[in-house]
Amino acid sequence: MICDWFNKWSLYCPEKTALTEVDSTTSFTYKQLNNGTNWLCHYFKDRHNLTKGDRILVLADFHAEYVNLLGVAQKVGIIIVPINFRLSATEISFLVKNSDPSLIVVASHYKHLLSEVPYLAEHKLLEFEQLQVLLQENCDEAYDFPAEELEENHPAFILYTSGTTGKPKGAIYSHGMMLWNSLNTAIRLQINSDDVNLNVMPPFHTGGWNVLTAPILHFGGTLIMMPKFEADKVLQTLEKEKVSIFMAVPTMVRLMRESAVFEKIDFQRLRYMIVGGEALPVSLIEDWSQKEVLIRQGYGLTECGPNITSLEANDAIRKRGSIGFPNFYLQTKLVNESGIAVDKNEKGELWIKGPIVTPGYWRNPEATEKAIVDGWFKTGDILLKDKEGYLYVVDRIKNMFISGGENVYPAEVEQCILKHESVKEVCVVGVPDLKWGEVGKAIVVFKEAKTDISAIQNFCLQHLAKFKVPKYFEVMKELPKNDTGKIDRKLLSATDEVKSTHLT
C-alpha cells in the first residue's frame, strides 16, 4: 500500500493551510508540508542512512514540525517512537534500549532525560530545534520523493503503554490501522476537508495522533497545534480559529467549564466535542449543552483503532454513561471467562477484531500471544450491552476487586457517588481487609470544603448493594492525574490510609 497523504493534498489544494500553531508564526500549507517532508526524507536517508524499518525516537513537545515525521513514516517506512517526556531518566533508558532507535530527536530542554541511556554517544542525536529550523528553511522549495510501497502491518508508530502491570509494552501501530481508523472516524464523525481541528493531546499518546490528527490530515482538513493545554487559551482558540471539531478528556472539559472565559465564548462553529478516556458526568454534558455544544462520547484504546465506538450526541443524556455502538470496519463481542459470548445485560470482556487491531507488541511475542487469540484482541475491559444494543463500560478487569466473594467494579461505585450534588471528583480502589479479603476505599473531592462525608456513605447505601459501598473514605483537595488528564488510579491505589475515615 502507498499512503502518501501529504503529496495528494499538495496536488489537490496546495495553498490550503494544513498546519498552524497557537502562539507561533509557524504555519504550513499542504504544499509546504509536503515539500518539507520530502526534503526531510532525503535528509534522513542521505545524512543519517535511515531506511524502511529504522526507528526514530522522539522526545519533544507536540509542535507543528513533529507532524512532518508522520509523512516520513508514510514515504520511507521509518517508525516513529514518541516518548513521554514526563517519565524518569531510568524509564526512558529502558524505552531507548527496547526500541533500539537509529536516531534520537530530542528537544534541548529534555536532553537531561537521556542521562541514564547507556552508550549514549553511540546513538545519533538531532536537536528538535534544529529540525524545526531545517524544515522552515526548506518548506518553500519543491522536492520530490517517491513513496515506498508498505505492507498494511508495517509499523508507523511504536506507542508505549503506561506500564501499570510491569515494564511498558510497545504497541505497534501500523499503516493499515491508521488508514482504517481514519475511515471509521470520518464516517462516524462526518469529517471532511472543511474541518478545523485543535489538537491539545500529547504526541506520546494515541489520542494525540489517531483520534483526530491523522483523520483530519487524511481528509485534507486544517490542524491547529497547541503543545500545552491551557483552559482559557483553548476556549479563546476554539472561537478565534473557528474550530469545528475538538477532542478532550473529561478533566479538560471540566477545567474549561470552570474557566471565567467559558460564558463569553461563541461556539457556533464547533460541531462536536469528542470526549474519551472516562465517562463524563451528566452535569457537565448539560452545562455544555446550554452553550449549544454537542458532545460525542466514545471508547478506544492504543492497541485497536483507537476509535472503536461512538455515541451520537442526541443520545448523550438519554443514554448517559454509554459509549454507543461499534464503528464501521470492526467486529466486537462480549465474552465470559471461558471466551463464550454473553447475553444482553450481562457483563463480559470486550474482544475486538478487524483491520484496526495491532499486529502485536514490539519485541514481545509473549505479550502478543496473550492479548490476541485467533485475531481477536482481548481488551481487559468489562462491558455490558443493553437491550437496544448500546454498550457501557463497567470497568477494567484489573480494577475489579472481590469483596466477600462478590465482584465489585469501582467504576459503578464511582458513577453512583458522582450523582451526589456535593461531589466534584471520586476514585474508588480496592484495599486489603481481614474479614472480606478486599473492601472499597473512596477518595473524594468535594465542591465545598465543609461537607459531611457520612452523607456520601448514606447516599451509597440508598443506591448500591451493601457489599459495594466503600468501607473507607478519604477526602482530597484534588485527585492526581496522569499525563493525559485521567485520574491516576495506580498512584491512589498505592497510598496509605492515614487520612481515611472508617465508616461502619
Side-chain angles (χ1 to χ4, degrees), residues 412-428:
E412 179 186 5
V413 183
E414 291 163 359
Q415 289 165 14
C416 172
I417 294 175
L418 280 171
K419 291 177 182 177
H420 194 282
E421 59 184 9
S422 66
V423 176
K424 181 179 179 181
E425 288 185 300
V426 64
C427 180
V428 174

Side-chain angles (χ1 to χ4, degrees), residues 36-55:
T37 300
N38 285 344
W39 176 86
L40 194 58
C41 290
H42 286 291
Y43 174 78
F44 283 153
K45 292 197 78 171
D46 299 340
R47 182 70 64 88
H48 296 284
N49 299 315
L50 297 183
T51 59
K52 177 182 175 182
D54 286 336
R55 275 79 63 204

Side-chain angles (χ1 to χ4, degrees), residues 19-45:
L19 278 172
T20 63
E21 188 171 317
V22 175
D23 293 337
S24 170
T25 58
T26 300
S27 181
F28 296 108
T29 63
Y30 271 103
K31 181 179 180 180
Q32 291 173 320
L33 178 62
N34 189 56
N35 283 344
T37 300
N38 285 344
W39 176 86
L40 194 58
C41 290
H42 286 291
Y43 174 78
F44 283 153
K45 292 197 78 171

